[in-house]
Amino acid sequence: MPIRHTQAESDLFDRFETAKPDLAGSVAVSALREAAVDQIRDRGLPHRRVEEYKYSDLRAFMKSAAQLVSNAEVASTEQLLADQNLFGDLERHRIVVANGSFLAELSDVVALSAEGVTVTDLNDALAGEHGSQLLASPKTGPSDGVVALNTAFVQGGVVVEVADGAEVSKPVELVHVATSSGAQVTRNKVRVGAGGNLKLLETFVGETGDGEINAVFDYDVADKAFLAATRLIVGSNDAANLLTTIATIGADAEFKSLGFMAGPRFARNQQFINFTGENSEAKIYGVTMAGGSDLADQTLIVDHAVPHCNSREFFKTVLDGNARGVYQGRINVAQHAQKTDGEMMTQALLLSEDAEMANKPELEIFADDVLCAHGATSGQIDEDLLFYLRARGIPEDEAKTLLVLAFLSEAIEEYGEDDVTEGLEARVRDWLAGH
């Protein structure tokens, strides 16, 4: 039976017809875009009756759908980068995607090339013989509506390839800039070659208004490679902030990620982690802060499809006002994935009576020689600890700030990337100053 489309869904179909002539890609890519739109037409936007979106109903949130943003000017992009420098004086290479398009003139392409890193405009790659492979994401499952939205409307992004054995000397910041209100839809492919080493920072700056940020990051971590990806979703906006990670991990490799969310009215950071080689490790961390009527969703699926792999998931959430937090985490262990070691923990701190946290950790295990565990807690600030600090002359507000910072810093410090620790803790203090 056909569904009745909402105003936002009707807007999306109109947006597609308007944008279609200008969207890059080969014939095969165009077919994938059409199929993605058909999926949305048949199923609608993700809603609460879809299990993975039970607590973050995108269909209810999106009342309308803005048009895709137009090309950005270099001058305005430079100004925003100067004004909203999220990592301060940290030495790093930079790759700039503005209003959905790669800006080579503002990116450190030459310096990265000297270190064995190739950066290609995604639109050029989509037009090539293998362009459709960049949009094919079977590892997320066919039912994910956010990825379907991205496939249909992706405007651009980058393909980053780290050569075999290359160790990039500085972190690489992949910054997405919005110079005007509207929808910004990007996809980024990052491949770290065998034995390579890369630290990646993903940041979002600018003003999207009540538009839409939809970014997919597709990671390929080859054998004996290392990738640490730090994602910042900060600043107050009314947009639907939809971020997706698809990670494939080879043998004897290590993948680390930290998703940091603070401020947006609606934010969903979803990750699909897939082990394809033995003796590898994934460490996934999350830090979430939400206040007012904000919703912040951290969703994670880790697929242990091969033996002898380890995963650790550790997420911290702080909620104030009427905010709602969501943690959905699942570890899947295939029948032949013996000797799997997986641990998952999510902890929430509620600063107000009206804040609400939905914790949903899951294990789905079909092997019999594994070590897996999960846990979840929610609570308020420990009154004994608060009294201890106040008894030593620390004002109540400052004492609460110290306790919240200590609570969140546990995940940041366990993440263990010293380059970004100071910047992340500064973002925590910024949020606490307003709450």
Side-chain angles (χ1 to χ4, degrees), residues 179-244:
T179 65
S180 59
S181 179
Q184 179 174 259
V185 185
T186 60
R187 187 169 297 208
N188 305 281
K189 173 74 175 183
V190 179
R191 183 183 187 277
V192 183
N197 187 305
L198 175 67
K199 296 182 179 182
L200 185 68
L201 314 176
E202 303 159 6
T203 57
F204 300 82
V205 301
E207 180 54 59
T208 57
D210 59 354
E212 169 195 334
I213 298 172
N214 187 325
V216 170
F217 297 84
D218 190 345
Y219 304 134
D220 186 354
V221 186
D223 297 351
K224 299 182 180 180
F226 171 84
L227 173 62
T230 307
R231 177 174 301 159
L232 264 69
I233 312 164
V234 298
S236 178
N237 65 56
D238 293 327
N241 293 257
L242 309 170
L243 291 304
T244 302

Side-chain angles (χ1 to χ4, degrees), residues 259-278:
F260 186 105
M261 299 196 298
R265 185 176 163 210
F266 185 105
R268 178 179 171 94
N269 183 46
Q270 59 178 13
Q271 302 184 67
F272 303 89
I273 313 301
N274 306 272
F275 286 99
T276 60
E278 296 186 26

Side-chain angles (χ1 to χ4, degrees), residues 19 59 88 101 129 151 160 162-163 170 176 212 242 252 261 295 314 372-373 411:
R59 195 173 197 232
S101 299
E129 181 181 356
T151 299
V160 179
V162 180
K170 302 177 185 177
H176 289 68
E212 169 195 334
L242 309 170
D252 300 298
M261 299 196 298
L295 180 141
F314 189 29
C372 291

